[in-house]
Amino acid sequence: MNDQTKQSVTTEIVGDIALVAIDNPPVNALSVHVRQGLQNAVATINAGGAAKVIAIYAKGRTFIAGADITEFGKPPMPPALPDLLNEVEQSAIPVVCVLHGTALGGGLETALAAHARVAIKGSRIGLPEVLIGLLPGAGGTQRVPRLAGIPVALDMCLSGRQVKVEEALTMGLVDRLDEGDPRDVALRAAQDVLNGALETRRVCDIETVADDEALDAARAMVAKKHPNLVSPQACIEAIAVSTGPLLDGLKVERKAFMDCLNTPQRAGLIHAFFGERAVANVPEKSATPRDVASIGVIGGGTMGSGIATSALLAGIPVTLVEVTDEALQRGVATITGNLDGAVKRGKLSAEKRDATLAKLTPATGLEALGDVDLVIEAVFEQMDVKKEIFGKLDTICKPGAILASNTSYLDIDEIASVTSRPADVIGLHFFSPAHIMRLLEIVVGDKTAPEVTATGFALAKRMGKVGVRAGVCDGFIGNRILAHYAKTAAYLVMDGATPQQVDQALEDFGFAMGPHKVGDLAGLDIGWMTRKRKAADMPSNERYAGDVADRICENGWFGRKTGQGYYIYEGRDMRPNPEVAKIIESERQKAGITPRSFTDQEIVDRYLTAMIVESARVVEDGIALRPLDVDIVFLMGYGFPRFRGGPLHYADTIGAAELVRRIEEYAKEDPHYWQVPDLLRDMARDGRSFADINKEA
Ligand code: 3HC
């Protein structure tokens, strides 16, 4: 037993009861010293004969939240969790587990190896392994179906959802609910085992009821919804063998678990898991956030209403400001509709909807914002309009109020310059629909005060969003990179690919939607406006990316909202727009281009390389703090496939040297567009990866 073992797992003998406490903050993960500690405790108690029952509970905020994810990818250290849990299950002395907080993954599996489970009311259990590219690897796929049936096991393993213990009781996964401190509950549970009031049994002795229909339905669902993912299929096949002997099933599960552990998908998903948390590590993190008891939102369009909805759902009173009564009523109607949607999705109860809506104060005129703690301006993207509003806010808002703009690309420093309090000005860039999308770019200006930035992060957390710090530039992190790589799709189409081929290749890569479908959904007029705005500044040697798109827009075809764009939309059906094929043909002729063919792989390589190039520049320029910040922006705001970990995590799977080679090859066709960023060239020379840069930051 080493020192850490002693601290992580302690045994206390109370009469005939051995209370085994796990203490491995913050979430009691099953790190090697916890596994060793548990193994020692169970073996020692069994050998010593000093106790007649073992009660395992955890200290701190939660029972075991799973295996220690930081150990994955490193050499395995004994004891392996499945072996340990078999030893727990085979303990001659009965074992009861007390669950509180969240018993997840290996944590729930530990409880399932015990002989009875008592859960503290309000806690949750789950098997979230699939969310990090794995399947339960310590008996979850074998013991859940034995206790609760194959359909429950499929649901829990494939969704990764956290199940309330009240529901778990009805499923048979916990035996009893209790209330109070985990140690007291453990003592009570152990006494009840001793006096026969709480029954104990080994789950390995229960037989799984076969259910081929449920398995087939799950196979079909996974083939349709997650064709790219390895671990959901592995979950199903492991559950399928749970009808046989437990040890055989455990072998199948273990092999599948080890196979998944070695996939790039697992690495990508775990990078995403830690990245989502690491983005909060910003220079301003020790500053004290200001109190935000009320928010003002200017603009009742889709964006403003979404932001207002998000704040209301976080329990923050909102004053919504519009210019006219009519626009205001439209905004209120949108917010009401958003809240109704939250009720439908089960995120909000009907009673709570009314109470939430009661916190909304509609107003015409900025004067209504005199008392709010934070204002978020969400009017259209015109610098002079924004400046006028911020100038007025400066005179209206109370001292200390934070003045935020939801601009998606404009210069925050220029907006701040019209106020007498630039330290209080910040960019809070939400993504549409703002009450659903979890990304918030927090744009820090030259003069933004640290506590104002810290308030942005605190607000993101309250709203259930992930805040990513960005510096000021045209488009910040996400839209700046998008503006660059979106051109690749246009160039590919001009040079010979069809919009459908580009979309399909990228969807096969894992994007939820190809770029042309996204354009149709967002409105092709947005890109058209941007191209017009930037036309004057376009370098003479830059290849224009709007030949085809401009012609489409000139016809008044802006995508879904007008019934056609790259595709034609009829009800739920969509098909390629034959008129677009004609436009492409004629634009190629005008430009003197003889179309050539691209393989799907070439399309993916060019598109992703362009994305990586601008991402590297964004890191190089300090607009993003680290490569992982870029990754999180793209995973959470731009539909980048989560299992690929984000553009710069994906870049590491290619390697800097190969990327440089590719860019130089493409540059032979277009030396202006394809330029190697200095950062990437240095990385190739020094053999460094973006992961190395993340570690150094
Ligand atoms: N291993 C290692 N570290 C973990 C961890 C784990 N399983 N779970 C959480 N952490 C770390 C987080 O990275 C974070 O670290 P930081 O403070 O340095 O950023 C810290 O614990 C606190 O986590 P959160 O910020 O996420 O705290 P919350 O209170 O918001 O959430 C939680 C707690 C619900 C437990 C959430 O952390 C979570 O969902 N964790 C992952 C659970 C999981 O995936 N378990 C399955 C693991 S795989 C497994 O068990 C395999 C088995 O079948 C063999």
Side-chain angles (χ1 to χ4, degrees), residues 369-604:
L369 300 175
D371 230 19
V372 299
D373 296 319
L374 185 147
V375 180
I376 304 171
E377 161 279 310
V379 304
F380 45 88
E381 294 280 63
Q382 256 181 32
M383 185 52 100
D384 46 351
V385 178
K386 306 244 181 208
K387 280 183 169 171
E388 194 190 325
I389 289 177
F390 273 73
K392 285 186 185 158
L393 288 176
D394 193 27
T395 61
I396 292 168
C397 292
K398 65 183 181 188
I402 293 174
L403 311 183
S405 173
N406 175 55
T407 177
S408 48
Y409 58 86
L410 293 173
D411 185 338
I412 296 295
D413 293 329
E414 195 178 334
I415 296 174
S417 72
V418 300
T419 72
S420 62
R421 40 173 133 177
D424 293 340
V425 177
I426 192 163
L428 293 178
H429 178 211
F430 290 78
F431 287 70
S432 189
H435 58 296
I436 292 180
M437 296 287 281
R438 287 183 59 225
L439 177 63
L440 179 65
E441 270 185 318
I442 297 173
V443 188
V444 182
D446 271 353
K447 298 200 173 124
T448 307
E451 70 271 18
V452 171
T453 305
T455 311
F457 277 89
L459 181 68
K461 198 160 185 200
R462 255 172 105 181
M463 289 180 164
K465 299 195 187 298
V466 174
V468 178
R469 190 188 192 281
V472 177
C473 67
D474 193 331
F476 317 128
I477 296 177
N479 282 345
R480 169 171 160 182
I481 297 169
L482 170 70
H484 182 74
Y485 71 79
K487 291 176 190 158
T488 318
Y491 298 156
L492 281 162
V493 166
M494 276 298 276
D495 290 343
T498 63
Q500 297 76 51
Q501 189 198 358
V502 173
D503 282 356
Q504 192 59 55
L506 291 162
E507 285 165 23
D508 291 345
F509 176 80
F511 282 95
M513 261 190 213
H516 300 96
K517 286 185 194 162
V518 172
D520 273 4
L521 186 65
L524 299 176
D525 47 326
I526 297 176
W528 195 27
M529 264 159 33
T530 309
R531 284 189 296 279
K532 285 184 195 164
R533 172 172 68 89
K534 290 187 171 175
D537 302 327
M538 194 178 123
S540 58
N541 52 351
E542 181 175 318
R543 184 176 178 192
Y544 188 57
D547 297 315
V548 172
D550 289 359
R551 297 296 89 72
I552 298 176
C553 289
E554 282 158 16
N555 284 303
W557 303 333
F558 298 153
R560 267 179 202 256
K561 62 185 170 190
T562 59
Q564 60 183 317
Y566 287 100
Y567 297 84
I568 292 183
Y569 300 88
E570 277 160 359
R572 287 170 155 257
D573 292 335
M574 62 185 284
R575 60 190 157 84
N577 189 345
E579 293 303 319
V580 170
K582 288 183 201 157
I583 292 174
I584 294 170
E585 174 75 39
S586 105
E587 288 304 314
R588 281 180 190 153
Q589 268 178 17
K590 253 194 261 169
I593 292 172
T594 310
R596 59 186 154 130
S597 64
F598 291 95
T599 63
D600 290 356
Q601 189 60 49
E602 278 171 324
I603 290 172
V604 169

Side-chain angles (χ1 to χ4, degrees), residues 203-269:
V203 177
C204 60
D205 295 337
I206 304 169
E207 267 185 34
T208 297
V209 178
D211 193 339
D212 288 346
E213 213 177 302
L215 289 164
D216 284 342
R219 286 184 185 110
M221 183 279 285
V222 163
K224 189 160 177 249
K225 277 181 85 176
H226 308 292
N228 282 312
L229 297 183
V230 177
S231 75
Q233 288 175 25
C235 283
I236 300 172
E237 298 320 322
I239 292 169
V241 297
S242 69
T243 46
L246 181 89
L247 288 181
D248 292 354
L250 287 178
K251 268 189 211 144
V252 171
E253 180 195 72
R254 193 66 190 162
K255 172 158 189 332
F257 181 83
M258 296 314 283
D259 289 348
C260 286
L261 204 55
N262 293 325
T263 60
Q265 298 193 350
R266 190 273 307 159
L269 288 164

Side-chain angles (χ1 to χ4, degrees), residues 187-211:
L187 212 46
R188 212 159 30 236
Q191 274 153 358
D192 281 352
V193 170
L194 285 177
N195 66 29
L198 181 60
E199 204 186 312
T200 56
R201 61 184 170 164
R202 290 196 173 100
V203 177
C204 60
D205 295 337
I206 304 169
E207 267 185 34
T208 297
V209 178
D211 193 339

